[in-house]
Amino acid sequence: MADSAKKVLFVNSEIFPYLPESRMALIGRYLPQGVQERKKEIRSFMPRWGCINERKNQLHEVIRLSGMNIIVGDVDRPIVIKVASISAARMQVYFIDNEDFFKRKQLSYDESGTFFDDNAERAIFFARSVLETVKKLRWAPDIIHCHGWISHLLPAYLKKAYVDDPIFSGSKIVLSLYDEISEDSFPANFAKEAEFGNLTEKDLPLLKTSNGIELAKTAVQYADGVILGSGSIAPEILDYCKEKGLPMLDFDASKLESGAYVDDYNSFYDQL
């Protein structure tokens, strides 16, 4: 594929300035801009976390994209799509919203530091909502680049449940791994609840007794390439990446600091 024809979908947990500065949030902000400046088309998605000030950031609902429902945990959950613009970068960010999952002010842990007991359902809802919304946009990405634990089910859905969908027929999954991966446990029924279409419990063996590490390994299982966004990734995840023989881009703190990483990431996309 020619560079001019390439489309990159960014699926983020964090994007600055909607969330405070962190390595992941800054990459979520500047990587799409850099890739767009290198003549690729981009779309960016993230959850509409409850701590995001909608008025300050000028979020507004996209009625034509909202209104879909996804069943998670036997409950019909409505998807609300909101959008905001980062004018300096000439790019839009799409926000996946749901009153039950994203109204709370915290991201993964409550005020007492307890891992939310519905984080598995939130990950299921977010991953499927992104893919359904992209289908509704009729925008076929060549690369889908996932950042953050809440995006880690998307590779499995893409490769199993959406494998025959023409929108995603040419899509490759790039997975960035960071040091935000939690060792807190998900419910024992995670794999069963994640079932959808051709994705069955048997396709998610690592989620039988799972935590964030096993969820990250599940993302690796269905990825086409891995980028290390931190120098302190759990050894068992790195070993699993090597076992799978996936193309990998090593962590380089100096390039992340200078912004030179954008060229490396852009070239990595083109090699897949």
Side-chain angles (χ1 to χ4, degrees):
M1 287 176 292
D3 284 0
S4 60
K6 235 166 199 185
K7 301 176 181 178
V8 184
L9 171 65
F10 296 95
V11 186
N12 301 78
S13 175
E14 304 174 21
I15 299 176
F16 178 79
Y18 307 110
L19 291 180
E21 289 190 27
S22 67
R23 177 170 285 137
M24 194 192 311
L26 290 172
I27 288 174
R29 161 63 181 85
Y30 292 106
L31 176 61
Q33 178 181 351
V35 169
Q36 183 172 250
E37 289 169 351
R38 285 155 180 79
K39 309 304 180 185
K40 288 180 170 62
E41 290 185 45
I42 64 103
R43 297 286 189 278
S44 288
F45 281 77
M46 71 175 290
R48 207 289 294 172
W49 304 110
C51 57
I52 296 171
N53 187 314
E54 293 199 17
R55 180 176 295 180
K56 175 185 175 184
N57 292 294
Q58 299 183 332
L59 272 67
H60 61 272
E61 185 175 350
V62 185
I63 302 298
R64 69 183 178 88
L65 295 177
S66 298
M68 296 179 287
N69 283 41
I70 286 176
I71 296 174
V72 182
D74 297 324
V75 178
D76 221 7
R77 312 277 186 176
I79 307 171
V80 177
I81 305 297
K82 296 176 180 175
V83 69
S85 296
I86 301 177
S87 55
R90 293 183 294 107
M91 67 184 228
Q92 290 184 318
V93 176
Y94 293 89
F95 296 83
I96 301 292
D97 200 1
N98 176 272
E99 188 78 3
D100 295 327
F101 290 142
F102 299 119
K103 184 177 181 180
R104 67 200 74 162
K105 298 296 184 184
Q106 300 82 16
L107 275 60
S108 308
Y109 297 86
D110 66 19
E111 292 176 341
S112 64
T114 302
F115 201 56
F116 286 123
D117 59 10
D118 65 349
N119 276 340
E121 292 183 336
R122 297 167 91 201
I124 292 167
F125 179 83
F126 179 67
R128 286 186 53 198
S129 295
V130 169
L131 292 171
E132 289 295 335
T133 304
V134 172
K135 280 181 61 178
K136 206 164 185 178
L137 285 168
R138 298 185 181 278
W139 189 79
D142 298 301
I143 298 291
I144 302 177
H145 192 167
C146 295
H147 306 255
W149 71 269
I150 203 162
S151 72
H152 283 176
L153 271 179
L154 192 148
Y157 281 126
L158 183 77
K159 295 299 179 69
K160 289 292 183 177
Y162 292 82
V163 64
D164 295 323
D165 193 299
I167 289 288
F168 302 110
S169 61
S171 300
K172 299 286 189 180
I173 287 277
V174 174
L175 174 67
S176 273
L177 295 170
Y178 298 89
D179 54 10
E180 45 93 48
I181 295 168
S182 170
E183 294 188 24
D184 291 279
S185 295
F186 291 105
N189 66 342
F190 192 178
K192 186 67 179 174
E193 283 210 340
E195 288 187 329
F196 173 68
N198 293 327
L199 180 70
T200 70
E201 189 176 1
K202 292 180 180 178
D203 298 313
L204 302 167
L206 298 170
L207 297 186
K208 291 293 181 63
T209 52
S210 63
N211 56 22
I213 290 175
E214 299 304 316
L215 178 58
K217 287 167 65 178
T218 297
V220 172
Q221 178 185 351
Y222 290 102
D224 297 294
V226 172
I227 294 176
L228 302 184
S230 168
S232 54
I233 307 299
E236 52 263 56
I237 299 175
L238 293 177
D239 290 343
Y240 191 69
C241 293
K242 292 171 185 174
E243 178 186 322
K244 288 293 178 183
L246 293 175
M248 287 181 64
L249 188 60
D250 287 335
F251 174 69
D252 189 324
S254 63
K255 287 189 175 182
L256 285 167
E257 184 71 25
S258 68
Y261 73 94
V262 175
D263 283 321
D264 289 348
Y265 284 30
N266 192 53
S267 296
F268 191 74
Y269 300 154
D270 293 338
Q271 292 165 12
L272 294 178

